[in-house]
Amino acid sequence: MLTMRLLLALTCFVALIPGQQEAKVPTFTEDIAPLVFASCTKCHRPGEAGPFSLRTYRDVSKRARNLLSVMEERIMPPWHPAPGYGEFRNELRLSDKQIAMFRSWVEAGTPEGPAESLPELPEFPEGWQLGEPDLIIKTSGAYPVSAGGRDIYRNFSLPLDLPEDKWLTAMEVRPGDREVLHHVLLFLDPSKQGRASEGRDGKPGFRGRGVGRSPMVAGWAVGGQPEHLPGGLAIKLPKGCDLILQSHLHPTGRKTKEQTTIGLYFAKEAPERSIVSVQLPPLFGFLTGLDIPAGEADFRLQDSFELPCDVDAVTIGGHAHLLCRAMRMHAVLPDGTEVPLVHIPEWDFDWQNRYTFAQSVRLPAGSVIHADIRYDNSENNPDNPNVPPRRVKWGRETSDEMGSLTLLVTPKDQGDLAELQRAVRQQLGKAATARVSNSVVKRFASYDKNGDEQLSRDEVPRQLRRFFGRLDKNGDGVLSLEEAKILGSFSRRRP
């Protein structure tokens, strides 16, 4: 009798052990709806970027297996920074536990659950994600985009008519046609030069670079989500200035038109600290002479920058085209400690975003910021636009390449602003000098027909021979590489 009682007690005890009870089957109303409403519905609702709605049980259940597939492949929700390598606010990444719960729900036949447990749909703003902007501007008209052909780069003058200085905290871009507008850059136009060029060729906007040395204010790329700069930070828009919108339009196989609308959000007062952009490499890699051989599966573009003062890192983001496979940025502190900033192990051309750190990252003076961008120009890259692969150089077309990582920082002490800005300008100057030097080296090698590492007068192109005497400093009748470097035109002329 005692043995029977002992067995019964032991059975009850085992039943109470965690994990021994039958696992609860997830239901839509109790488990899945809160997940979907928090991570998916913001974009997947009428009038927004998602191609279908995810607001009801029917919406989600009929696509459940497809949703599970893109969750497991980490395609959706769109969040590309690797976990544990930089901490960011508003993170969309689903946890392994959340994905496992969704899988269990699908495998159980997508049960709906009790109606009284269904949470209310979140109240999303209609139209503008950040609420009504302080100022809404749009391009002067709808620009025609043909069904095919080369990518289009078009500038648009955007008059502001500001009666006083304003401080920009956020920008929201609303494309007229989401499929053709790939990215935009917004530049200051303090002299309003863009107005004279606007519509000169009979179409909205104008051709050419059009921005000169104008400072860039903000940017947006497909997949980018609007958000305010943190910590009371803002960018100055001077009284009376205009803006120039530089747009990248990508034909999609059908004729269409694009008229872009932009919402600007202003701070109520000037910020106490200024923002400085540290882009590595500068100018989206233009000065690196980016040149990726056909078939190269692991081409790397790297750059670094030493901070002259203490700074706080605020946001970070990257830009590249189709051959890019991964990008990473980290800082090495003066004591050798490595600080991870961002790692995007699987670059996606269709989802380019900026990421705001959950807490600003303090980087002391003497820290070195490192950027590493990797490209795959082999036949194994499913995104390679060229079959078979061909040599790809820097360029603005989608089938060309470029690449950079941009870190926005603020000096800890506002008094260090000028020093930080000067260091950034010097970084750009060094990159430009290196570009010229590398170009001269390549050109020198192409002229050196006999491979003796010096140039005779006969080897120098005819149009450059008039400079030969002045370059031949030691008068030995040949030019060394160091002597040839003086002639910057070597990097601009062809033999």
Side-chain angles (χ1 to χ4, degrees):
M1 189 70 176
L2 180 63
T3 302
M4 180 62 68
R5 289 176 180 174
L6 185 61
L7 284 173
L8 287 171
L10 184 60
T11 301
C12 293
F13 175 75
V14 170
L16 294 174
I17 297 177
Q20 296 298 318
Q21 300 179 15
E22 184 177 350
K24 175 185 176 298
V25 175
T27 67
F28 178 79
T29 58
E30 296 172 300
D31 307 287
I32 302 304
L35 172 64
V36 172
F37 291 172
S39 302
C40 310
T41 309
K42 180 179 180 181
C43 294
H44 286 271
R45 57 193 176 94
E48 296 305 321
F52 48 80
S53 289
L54 292 175
R55 300 191 302 164
T56 67
Y57 169 71
R58 177 175 171 78
D59 290 340
V60 179
S61 62
K62 70 181 180 181
R63 295 184 171 88
R65 291 197 176 277
N66 287 337
L67 294 175
L68 175 60
S69 176
V70 296
M71 288 178 185
E72 291 180 330
E73 293 180 21
R74 296 290 182 183
I75 297 174
M76 289 287 168
W79 187 261
H80 296 93
Y85 205 96
E87 300 297 329
F88 306 99
R89 72 182 189 184
N90 301 324
E91 183 170 333
L92 295 176
R93 169 179 289 274
L94 297 182
S95 67
D96 292 340
K97 184 178 180 180
Q98 288 173 311
I99 295 175
M101 179 182 68
F102 198 93
R103 185 186 308 111
S104 297
W105 179 65
V106 172
E107 292 173 349
T110 66
E112 185 171 5
E116 63 272 15
S117 297
L118 180 66
E120 292 187 6
L121 273 171
E123 291 187 6
F124 297 107
E126 292 298 327
W128 298 100
Q129 297 298 298
L130 299 180
E132 188 68 17
D134 296 301
L135 180 62
I136 298 175
I137 53 179
K138 61 171 58 179
T139 55
S140 60
Y143 185 81
V145 181
S146 61
R150 297 172 65 87
D151 287 10
I152 300 167
Y153 288 83
R154 189 76 174 177
N155 300 311
F156 301 89
S157 176
L158 301 175
L160 297 182
D161 299 318
L162 297 176
E164 60 184 358
D165 292 348
K166 294 291 185 180
W167 296 90
L168 183 70
T169 67
M171 173 185 79
E172 186 169 342
V173 177
R174 297 194 72 80
D177 188 327
R178 295 179 182 274
E179 292 186 16
V180 300
L181 186 64
H182 183 263
H183 76 260
V184 302
L185 300 175
L186 203 61
F187 295 86
L188 276 180
D189 184 14
S191 61
K192 303 181 181 180
Q193 293 180 347
R195 295 193 186 194
S197 301
E198 178 69 30
R200 183 176 290 174
D201 61 359
K203 299 177 183 179
F206 56 97
R207 292 178 293 182
R209 305 244 175 207
V211 296
R213 295 182 177 273
S214 301
M216 190 172 79
V217 174
W220 170 90
V222 60
Q225 297 297 315
E227 63 177 357
H228 290 279
L229 288 169
L233 296 172
I235 299 170
K236 183 179 180 179
L237 299 182
K239 171 185 176 181
C241 77
D242 283 351
L243 295 174
I244 290 178
L245 181 72
Q246 188 179 85
S247 300
H248 174 189
L249 306 171
H250 183 60
T252 61
R254 59 179 175 81
K255 288 184 178 181
T256 186
K257 294 182 178 181
E258 168 57 26
Q259 184 172 23
T260 308
T261 304
I262 297 176
L264 303 180
Y265 298 83
F266 300 139
K268 294 182 179 179
E269 56 187 11
E272 296 180 356
R273 302 168 69 186
S274 300
I275 297 175
V276 176
S277 174
V278 178
Q279 188 180 79
L280 301 177
L283 303 180
F284 301 103
F286 169 70
L287 297 174
T288 65
L290 183 63
D291 189 347
I292 309 174
E296 175 62 58
D298 189 19
F299 185 91
R300 300 176 68 173
L301 185 63
Q302 297 175 310
D303 200 4
S304 62
F305 174 73
E306 182 173 345
L307 291 167
C309 60
D310 294 356
V311 304
D312 290 323
V314 180
T315 74
I316 193 169
H319 179 68
H321 290 178
L322 295 168
L323 296 184
C324 180
R325 305 312 296 159
M327 54 178 63
R328 182 195 307 258
M329 179 176 275
H330 70 277
V332 178
L333 307 189
D335 65 2
T337 302
E338 182 173 317
V339 177
L341 295 173
V342 73
H343 178 209
I344 301 177
E346 294 186 20
W347 173 258
D348 188 337
F349 177 72
D350 291 327
W351 289 98
Q352 306 191 32
N353 210 342
R354 293 202 62 80
Y355 305 98
T356 300
F357 294 106
Q359 299 290 333
S360 60
V361 181
R362 176 63 54 83
L363 300 173
S367 298
V368 180
I369 302 171
H370 296 271
D372 184 10
I373 306 173
R374 299 193 173 202
Y375 302 85
D376 181 357
N377 193 16
S378 74
E379 60 184 10
N380 295 322
N381 180 357
D383 296 322
N384 196 328
N386 303 302
V387 180
R390 64 171 179 81
R391 176 187 182 187
V392 175
K393 303 174 71 173
W394 193 97
R396 300 193 302 168
E397 300 289 328
T398 300
S399 57
D400 298 325
E401 260 307 338
M402 58 175 62
S404 68
L405 281 152
T406 303
L407 184 70
L408 295 187
V409 303
T410 62
K412 174 187 174 184
D413 184 342
Q414 184 69 5
D416 292 329
L417 176 63
E419 182 182 10
L420 179 58
Q421 291 174 327
R422 182 167 54 252
V424 170
R425 289 194 300 270
Q426 290 173 345
Q427 174 82 359
L428 179 61
K430 290 178 182 177
T433 300
R435 169 68 185 272
V436 172
S437 178
N438 291 338
S439 181
V440 170
V441 170
K442 291 180 180 179
R443 192 66 63 203
F444 185 93
S446 70
Y447 296 155
D448 184 16
K449 302 303 181 183
N450 59 11
D452 63 355
E453 298 184 359
Q454 57 186 9
L455 299 181
S456 66
R457 181 180 291 273
D458 291 340
E459 289 177 313
V460 174
R462 187 181 304 277
Q463 66 270 26
L464 298 179
R465 289 176 188 172
R466 58 195 176 106
F467 300 107
F468 193 94
R470 280 181 283 172
L471 295 175
D472 185 14
K473 297 298 183 181
N474 59 10
D476 63 355
V478 293
L479 297 182
S480 66
L481 176 58
E482 291 304 313
E483 289 173 325
K485 282 183 178 179
I486 301 173
L487 188 62
S489 61
F490 267 60
S491 64
R492 300 188 298 270
R493 295 179 180 269
R494 295 185 178 276

